[in-house]
Amino acid sequence: MSDYKLGLDYALQQDQNDELKAYRSHFHIPKDKQGNPWIYMTGNSLGLQPKQTKAYVNQELEDWANLGVEGHLEAKNPWLPYHEFLTESMAKVVGAKPIEVVVMNTLTANLHFMMVSFYNPTKTRYKILIESDAFPSDKYAVESQLRHHGFDDKEGLILWKPRKGEELLNYEDLESILEAQGDEIALIMIGGVNYYTGQFFDLKRISDLGHKHGCNVGFDCAHGAGNVQLNLHNSGADFAVWCTYKYLNSGPGSLAGCFVHERHAHRKDLNRFTGWWSHNKQTRFNMRDEFDQLTGAEGWQLSNPPILSMAAIKASLDMFNEVGMAKLTNKSKKLTGYFEFLLKTLGEDIIKIITPNNPEERGCQLSIQVKNADKALHNKLTEANIISDWREPDVIRCAPVPLYNSFEDVFRLVEKLKAILNE
Ligand SMILES: *Cc1c(COP(=O)(O)O)cnc(C)c1O
């Protein structure tokens, strides 16, 4: 979009016209010791706290204080079905049907539980394909699954790599890998939005391609949930997992989400690890019955969940539900487009944006490579109250989050970057 303009006035005017501008005041924006607000660009790492979260968590603390165990049925939001209060909103956020979504466990744990069901290696088809710059936890998880099944974790792991001198992944390369080795691959597991480059993959294209070659396909959407329109149902993926503490603003280490495609909802043949929370709700408390599998994604739950964490998720999802992903991504594209526009004025010989320039192939994050930069640059930004994320050797990741970041934030960030580079 070329109608962006330079100057603070333009940024302030965009903030004025922003239909989501009220939401910034619904968040706690951290401040320095003098009371100046931070320019917080790390919602991709830990989202800020919605002001209403405290009341949601307090409600559960009070019900626990007043009702003890009776809270399971008598709390204002009864704890027994509490996860169900999150399902519909979460399904909307990720573009899924309610039967396909559950909030449970934590992210890497869910990834393992999904692999129990969807990584079914045989002697000839046992390999796992991931992107070469996968998030470390995901790589460790799939390597350990290979070892768990008795395979070599190097030989069994296939990496989808960028071409020489490039950062982004190319679908033709994925097609070539699958043409050559598709019948050896049991599972394709890709970060829906790559945490490092910010590349948002075409989930449907990857799912279709994988399925054509007989592979199961799953996505880690930690950097996608609440950031981009995932359309998980239509993607046809077998499963997806994500956390809620990044773009979903649900607090450090909060519970994670899990998607299992509807076509698997009633399958009893799938291998899985189970617990009493995977058992039919009507007879769960009879305690002595034979195991009776719950249908849908809920059937992958194991334990009764931590309600305090779920209350924080509910506080956030109620806000997402109110705004909707359409408005959110609409603002996000404008805000990140503006960020890109300003960065380009610094000179493309100094700044290289490795995130795709097509707004459909990215979320709000831009990963910026700064020529000859080292961590000192990042530290100077931090001293100036600009919170960004540094990845060795030379990449700064910045995520202007549409719910609470402003055009002014973006303007001030780039001004500071310019000042530091001119020092
Ligand atoms: C943030 C993130 C994780 C972190 O995993 P936890 O189990 O929540 O600690 C894993 N994978 C990806 C892709 C992530 O972005």
Side-chain angles (χ1 to χ4, degrees):
M1 284 211 284
S2 55
D3 50 353
Y4 294 118
K5 292 192 180 68
L6 297 170
L8 178 60
D9 287 352
Y10 175 80
L12 296 176
Q13 186 200 349
Q14 292 308 298
D15 285 332
Q16 267 312 310
N17 299 339
D18 171 12
E19 61 174 341
L20 302 185
K21 67 181 167 200
Y23 284 91
R24 181 175 170 88
S25 66
H26 295 190
F27 285 86
H28 292 286
I29 314 274
K31 297 183 177 74
D32 70 8
K33 291 197 179 87
Q34 283 74 43
N36 305 306
W38 288 356
I39 294 177
Y40 193 80
M41 289 285 162
T42 44
N44 55 351
S45 184
L46 181 69
L48 291 180
Q49 184 186 136
K51 288 181 179 166
Q52 65 190 23
T53 300
K54 195 174 270 179
Y56 280 64
V57 174
N58 276 343
Q59 177 71 49
E60 303 317 319
L61 285 173
E62 265 168 47
D63 284 344
W64 176 26
N66 296 327
L67 296 165
V69 72
E70 301 298 323
H72 284 297
L73 296 170
E74 302 299 327
K76 181 172 172 229
N77 309 302
W79 303 328
L80 212 50
Y82 200 102
H83 75 273
E84 295 170 20
F85 309 146
L86 313 178
T87 303
E88 215 160 295
S89 314
M90 188 62 100
K92 277 188 199 151
V93 166
V94 297
K97 298 186 178 184
I99 195 173
E100 297 174 317
V101 167
V102 67
V103 173
M104 61 178 191
N105 311 316
T106 49
L107 172 55
T108 308
N110 282 346
L111 182 54
H112 276 295
F113 291 126
M114 288 294 99
M115 287 196 279
V116 168
S117 298
F118 296 103
Y119 174 53
N120 303 304
T122 65
K123 270 209 176 78
T124 54
R125 186 191 279 278
Y126 60 90
K127 295 186 179 174
I128 304 179
L129 183 145
I130 61 172
E131 82 261 42
S132 63
D133 234 326
F135 195 91
S137 192
D138 298 23
K139 181 154 184 275
Y140 304 152
V142 299
E143 285 170 344
S144 68
Q145 286 281 337
L146 282 160
R147 289 194 300 273
H148 173 65
H149 286 279
F151 300 104
D152 184 281
D153 59 16
K154 293 216 165 42
E155 198 263 338
L157 196 64
I158 298 180
L159 300 179
W160 178 18
K161 294 185 193 133
R163 295 177 183 181
K164 230 183 165 50
E166 296 182 9
E167 303 281 346
L168 303 176
L169 295 176
N170 189 308
Y171 294 99
E172 284 158 23
D173 297 340
L174 179 63
E175 281 164 18
S176 308
I177 296 172
L178 287 165
E179 287 301 330
Q181 304 175 77
D183 56 1
E184 298 169 15
I185 298 173
L187 175 67
I188 298 175
M189 216 301 291
I190 304 288
V193 175
N194 181 269
Y195 84 102
Y196 180 69
T197 63
Q199 182 174 14
F200 173 25
F201 294 107
D202 184 337
L203 308 189
K204 182 165 181 358
R205 184 167 175 181
I206 295 173
S207 301
D208 287 349
L209 201 58
H211 290 155
K212 193 178 96 182
H213 289 274
C215 321
N216 281 337
V217 181
F219 294 102
D220 184 331
C221 294
H223 282 261
N227 180 26
V228 293
Q229 301 254 30
L230 289 168
N231 300 323
L232 287 179
H233 175 79
N234 289 338
S235 80
D238 295 287
F239 72 86
V241 292
W242 59 93
C243 60
T244 61
Y245 51 80
K246 290 173 180 164
Y247 294 102
L248 291 175
N249 309 324
S250 300
S254 197
L255 288 166
C258 186
F259 162 91
V260 179
H261 197 277
E262 187 180 30
R263 66 179 175 276
H264 303 303
H266 300 278
R267 286 182 63 180
K268 300 205 166 163
D269 60 312
L270 277 173
N271 194 31
R272 64 176 109 190
F273 288 165
T274 50
W276 68 331
W277 244 246
S278 356
H279 184 95
N280 182 343
K281 294 174 204 175
Q282 270 67 49
T283 57
R284 182 179 287 154
F285 294 95
N286 297 353
M287 301 300 225
R288 284 180 180 78
D289 291 7
E290 286 287 307
F291 181 68
D292 181 9
Q293 182 70 62
L294 257 180
T295 55
E298 285 188 328
W300 271 267
Q301 298 171 105
L302 304 176
S303 298
N304 81 98
I307 299 300
L308 299 181
S309 171
M310 283 201 164
I313 298 176
K314 188 168 189 309
S316 172
L317 286 180
D318 283 355
M319 197 185 295
F320 271 86
N321 217 356
E322 193 178 284
V323 177
M325 285 306 293
K327 278 188 186 165
L328 206 72
T329 51
N330 185 35
K331 175 177 172 189
S332 182
K333 282 177 183 160
K334 283 187 203 156
L335 190 60
T336 293
Y338 173 63
F339 186 22
E340 180 181 41
F341 163 78
L342 291 181
L343 284 171
K344 284 190 169 165
T345 65
L346 302 186
E348 299 191 41
D349 48 331
I350 299 172
I351 296 267
K352 185 181 158 202
I353 300 171
I354 62 180
T355 306
N357 51 29
N358 177 359
E360 304 304 322
E361 291 179 50
R362 69 184 184 201
C364 70
Q365 170 186 325
L366 293 183
S367 305
I368 308 158
Q369 220 165 21
V370 185
K371 200 168 183 184
N372 299 328
D374 56 28
K375 203 167 178 204
L377 172 67
H378 171 259
N379 295 346
K380 283 180 191 165
L381 287 171
T382 308
E383 281 162 28
N385 282 343
I386 296 167
I387 311 302
S388 64
D389 177 274
W390 177 259
R391 290 283 140 164
E392 293 295 341
D394 57 358
V395 168
I396 303 177
R397 299 185 306 159
C398 296
V401 168
L403 269 181
Y404 51 77
N405 282 120
S406 62
F407 286 80
E408 185 183 351
D409 279 346
V410 168
F411 177 82
R412 295 201 184 280
L413 160 65
V414 179
E415 283 296 293
K416 189 69 206 175
L417 193 58
K418 186 159 59 179
I420 296 171
L421 291 173
N422 287 338
E423 271 172 17

